[in-house]
Structure formats: C-alpha cells, structure tokens
Amino acid sequence: MTGKHFIEDFRVPPGQRVRLTNFDPAFKGKHSKTHALRKTQELCVTMGELQQNFFAERKRSLLVCLQALDAGGKDGVVKHVIGSMNPDGCDVANFKEPTPEELAHDFLWRVEAKTPKRGEIAIFNRSHYEDVLVVRVHNLVPKEVWSKRYDQINDFERRLAANGTHILKFFLHISKEAQLKRFEQRLDDPAKRWKISESDYTEREYWDDYVQAYEDALANCNTEDAPWFVIPADHKWFRDLAISEIIVAALQSMNIQVPKPTVNIEDIRRKYHSAAKEGKQGRRKRRARS
Amino acid sequence: MTGKHFIEDFRVPPGQRVRLTNFDPAFKGKHSKTHALRKTQELCVTMGELQQNFFAERKRSLLVCLQALDAGGKDGVVKHVIGSMNPDGCDVANFKEPTPEELAHDFLWRVEAKTPKRGEIAIFNRSHYEDVLVVRVHNLVPKEVWSKRYDQINDFERRLAANGTHILKFFLHISKEAQLKRFEQRLDDPAKRWKISESDYTEREYWDDYVQAYEDALANCNTEDAPWFVIPADHKWFRDLAISEIIVAALQSMNIQVPKPTVNIEDIRRKYHSAAKEGKQGRRKRRARS
C-alpha cells in the first residue's frame, strides 16, 4: 500500500498565503467511513513495519507536529495513529503551559530537549508553534517578540532538517460547529468531562484571531524541509486516514536501509548452531531407531 | 475481565530464596495458544481503558520493570503488550550501557530521571537491576560496591512506593535452549540480524552466573511494595498473557477514580449548548414547514 496523493493534496503550497476558509474541514473526498477505517488499519501496520526498520537504520529521525484548536483531534491522532507504532522509539511530547523554568529560557529551549534522536520518532502534541499562536492571540509577549519567532522557527527547523530530522507538521482543521459538537459529547462522557472548563468556551470568542495566527504561521513557516499540511478534521476517520497515509508516504520516500550484520552470519551459524542441530538430528535418529 | 490468579501464581514469595531451576520456563498451564492470544487482546483493550482513567486521575504512577537474559522477550512485551496503551502517558526507558555522564553519577541517577510522573506509566526495558546483574557477573565494580546496592535499591523503591508509584517487576524466564533457538531465528530474519554480535553467544558462557545473580536480586529486593514476578517466557503468547493479566489486575486493584468535573455540567450545557440546539430545532421546524 502506498499513499502519495494526500501528501500532495493537503500540503500547503510553499510561498503562498493560505486562507483557511478555502479549506473544507468536512472534506472526505470519495472515501466511505468503513473503507477508510480498514485502510487506516492497513496503513498503521505498514507504519509499524517501517518504524522498525527506521529504528534499526538509526540514521535519521522523524518529527511530527500536531497543531489544532481545542477538540481538533490531536489526542485522537496520538491514540489511533501514533499508538500503532512501537512505543520504544516513538515519544510523545506534550507542550502545555510553560513552567517557570521553561519560561526563564527562550521559547525553543524546551522544544529542543524533546527533538527525536536518530532512529526515533517524536510526536509533538502542540509544539513551538504555540509561541506564535496562543501567545500572540492573548498578547503574552509583545508583538516585536513573537513576530521575530517565525524566522527563529525556520532557522531551528532548517538546522534539524540539515542534521537528519524529517519534519511533518499537521494542522487539524475543524469547523467552529464541529468543535461545539465535540464539547457537547465531552459533557456526556463521564471519562472525559472532568477536563471541561469554562475557558474552553470563552476561548471560542478568539476563533478568528486564532485563524489569523494560524494563517500567518502556515505562510511564514512552510519550507521544503518542514512542510505544513492542512488536514480536514471534522471527520475523525478521514483525519486518521489522511495522517497515516502521509506518514507512511514520508517514511517510504526515505528509502530506509536496515544495516548489514557486523558479523558473518554463516560463520555464526556454523560455530554456534550446527552443533546443536547435529545434536538434535542425532537425537532424532536415535528416537527413530527406538 | 479480571485476572487475579497469575498475580499470585507468578509472584515470588516474599522472604524466600527462589531457585530458578524450580520454575519451568515452558509452563503454559492449560492454556492454548489460540485462546491465549484472544484473551491477551481483550486484556489489552481493558488495559487501555484503565490507563485512560489512570491518566485522568493523576494521583499515582505505575512502574513496570522488565528484566531478562538476552532474547528473553523484553522487546516483545513492549511491542505487543505495552504497545496497546496510549503512547501519551506511557514512556519506555531503555537502560543500556551507561554513558560517561551516567557513570559519573551513582547508579540510580539515570533511573531516577525516568521514573513516572503521576498519572503516567513508565516501562523500564532493563533497569537499575543491571547494576547487580551484568555489573556483578562481569566484575564491573568490586563486590563491596554491588553488594550494598540491594539495600539501596530497596530504599529507592520504598520511597517511590510511599510517594504513590505502584511497582511491578517481571523476570522473563527462558531456557538456555529457547535462547539459542531465538538467536537462530534472528539469523534468518533480515529485519533483525543486523543486531547479532558474537558476544550474544560468548555471554551464554556466563549463564549460571546470571542465574545466581538473578536469584540474589529476586531474594534481596522482593518487597510488598515492589514485588518480583517470574514469568514463564519460552512461549511468547503465554508470557504476553501472563504479563497483561498481571498489569490489568494491578490497575484494577487500585480502584482508580476519574476526577469530578470542576464546572457544573448542567450550567455549561444550558449556557453554551442549548442556544445552538434551539437554533437547530428552529431550522428543523422551518425545513419541516417548507
């Protein structure tokens, strides 16, 4: 199974300013839910196999950034897509409100600490982009500070890429109505409603500000090395299909090479296994006789 | 599905010295492979649900230590059992040969850094026990150093437990023959044979020394707070069944409580959702009329 088309369809065109209103969050193409769920499952199996080889190769790393407005589905992607990989070699970093120590450093300090090692995959659930999103929308630092961060982010991502980190950035695009519907589902779910706060709702008043901040981030930090994808996310099953297909396509495009053995396999076989085999055959012969 | 019996059957009796030769690594009881695989899958679903609540509760943490001789199945458990949990909130720490910086600190320094936060689960793939196992077998530090570590480990684990960390320690018990068979399977598997080294084989000469070191660790560091389990591991499917059942039983015994909402759910519903609903009903009525 290869999946090349989503990686082109949902890629933000480099050098262009996107208008999120032109992207339909409820897009699902010709896909049916049943078929998409099955295909996603297949893609997840492929992803797991590719990850095993990627880990063995230990030459490059993969960084996946997940960004979205509340209830956009970041946790769902972690659980349903990322969860299909081997937890060894796949780390999830959550960037929540910074601690005092994190705030005492520059905004990329805590991010740097979570970048993936060679052979490993890091998932950023929220990321350094919050520092040009929530921080900008709520004026947490002055404009002359956040406005310089786009270039700083580009420099940072360029250096990561030049040192072997493949970067994929996903904006999970939901509609304001879909968000409200998901909030309501949370109210009904005893396992989830503990995390509801009034601010989930008051934050909706800033919706347009967030859209503008996202449009700037998508325009200013969308390089060949660190592309943005806008993923239609009103349908969870379509979102998971698109993301798993893009991750698989990205891993496939890397032409991963499992390292060669450092020992002579046949020598090892002769030296340590043939005696045991002869022993076994000997026993088998004896049994056959008895 | 509850699973109480393995948590008793495979628990090392506290205060006793175990002889590993008395434990059958090929034990599988009355279980068939087909049934065990299905039951393990069910247990993994239950484990995932319990983990979600454990994460929400954020009061306690869980530390799972996996120890075994080479090819004992630690990686398999991580992939097949631990992999069923949400990677967010479940961290795998691999303790390999210590770095110079780690060696410059005491042996528990790097371990401390990987202990789980409240609400999270840490899996140690190898652990601080290596410091009384490989270190002892190969005389990497003098006896007067490693022999004091049993007490230091007990103190460390007691403190973790007293601060809300539930500890489960699994020794995956395989036979020397099963190990050789697995090494041979690796030779045949292009995805795995790159990691074969001659030392995998020469290390087998120390088998009895390892058994003795394990028996001492199991006897000296087997407290009520941090119990050891000896898991028959010649059959991978049985090993996964036993471990998933024990983890599920441990989580169930904790009586996990999802926190209560901090807001009044009905107030939120009225304030933010009823208007939207009335709007919808209004539209529905209008449609019905037209």
Side-chain angles (χ1 to χ4, degrees), chain A residues 50-68:
Chain A
L50 287 163
Q51 181 211 3
Q52 178 174 322
N53 295 343
F54 189 69
F55 188 76
E57 187 197 56
R58 271 191 198 281
K59 281 202 178 147
R60 292 158 297 179
S61 43
L62 175 63
L63 170 57
V64 175
C65 293
L66 299 175
Q67 283 289 158

Side-chain angles (χ1 to χ4, degrees), chain B residues 8 10 56 73 89 94 102 123 130 153 159 168 195 209 220 232 247 254 289:
Chain B
E8 285 152 19
F10 299 134
N94 294 294
E102 289 168 349
I123 313 299
E130 290 298 331
I153 289 174
R159 188 240 309 164
L168 300 171
K195 57 179 157 184
D209 297 336
N220 295 338
I247 294 178
M254 290 189 210
R289 260 180 242 140

Side-chain angles (χ1 to χ4, degrees), chain A residues 88 94 198 271-273, chain B residues 88 94 198 201 269 271-272:
Chain A
D88 191 10
N94 293 294
E198 183 114 17
K271 197 161 163 191
Y272 298 106
H273 292 283
Chain B
D88 190 11
N94 294 294
E198 182 116 16
Y201 294 90
R269 208 187 289 277
K271 196 162 164 191
Y272 297 106

Side-chain angles (χ1 to χ4, degrees), chain A residues 135-239:
Chain A
V135 164
R136 163 178 167 172
V137 169
H138 288 288
N139 298 306
L140 302 181
V141 302
K143 182 172 181 180
E144 61 260 34
V145 174
W146 62 252
S147 62
K148 294 195 181 104
R149 288 182 173 168
Y150 301 108
D151 285 344
Q152 292 164 4
I153 288 174
N154 285 336
D155 290 347
F156 170 66
E157 292 179 347
R158 188 185 314 112
R159 188 241 307 164
L160 292 185
N163 286 281
T165 299
H166 202 104
I167 302 174
L168 300 172
K169 300 181 295 196
F170 296 105
F171 171 59
L172 313 182
H173 183 37
I174 55 162
S175 63
K176 205 170 172 182
E177 298 71 38
Q179 186 192 56
L180 191 65
K181 211 171 128 195
R182 288 188 190 174
F183 283 174
E184 190 168 15
Q185 285 162 351
R186 273 190 203 164
L187 289 174
D188 298 330
D189 183 347
K192 288 184 178 169
R193 62 182 168 203
W194 59 273
K195 56 179 157 184
I196 294 165
S197 76
E198 183 114 17
S199 70
D200 296 341
Y201 294 90
T202 53
E203 200 67 3
R204 284 166 59 79
E205 295 162 21
Y206 299 93
W207 188 277
D208 294 340
D209 297 337
Y210 274 110
V211 166
Q212 209 188 329
Y214 265 108
E215 287 179 352
D216 282 347
L218 294 172
N220 296 338
C221 303
N222 181 39
T223 61
E224 205 55 57
D225 285 335
W228 270 112
F229 298 87
V230 175
I231 304 294
D234 275 4
H235 299 288
K236 297 175 181 179
W237 56 265
F238 184 80
R239 168 201 78 197

Side-chain angles (χ1 to χ4, degrees), chain A residues 69-84:
Chain A
L69 288 163
D70 266 1
K74 302 183 299 298
D75 294 340
V77 171
V78 169
K79 190 169 173 182
H80 299 296
V81 179
I82 306 307
S84 67

Side-chain angles (χ1 to χ4, degrees), chain B residues 82-118:
Chain B
I82 305 307
S84 67
M85 289 196 272
N86 189 330
D88 190 11
C90 183
D91 258 350
V92 180
N94 294 294
F95 294 100
K96 308 201 175 196
E97 205 177 321
T99 64
E101 168 145 42
E102 289 168 349
L103 278 176
H105 291 84
D106 86 84
F107 76 108
L108 288 171
W109 179 78
R110 65 173 182 163
V111 179
E112 186 82 60
K114 297 290 185 182
T115 54
K117 291 182 215 176
R118 277 190 282 277

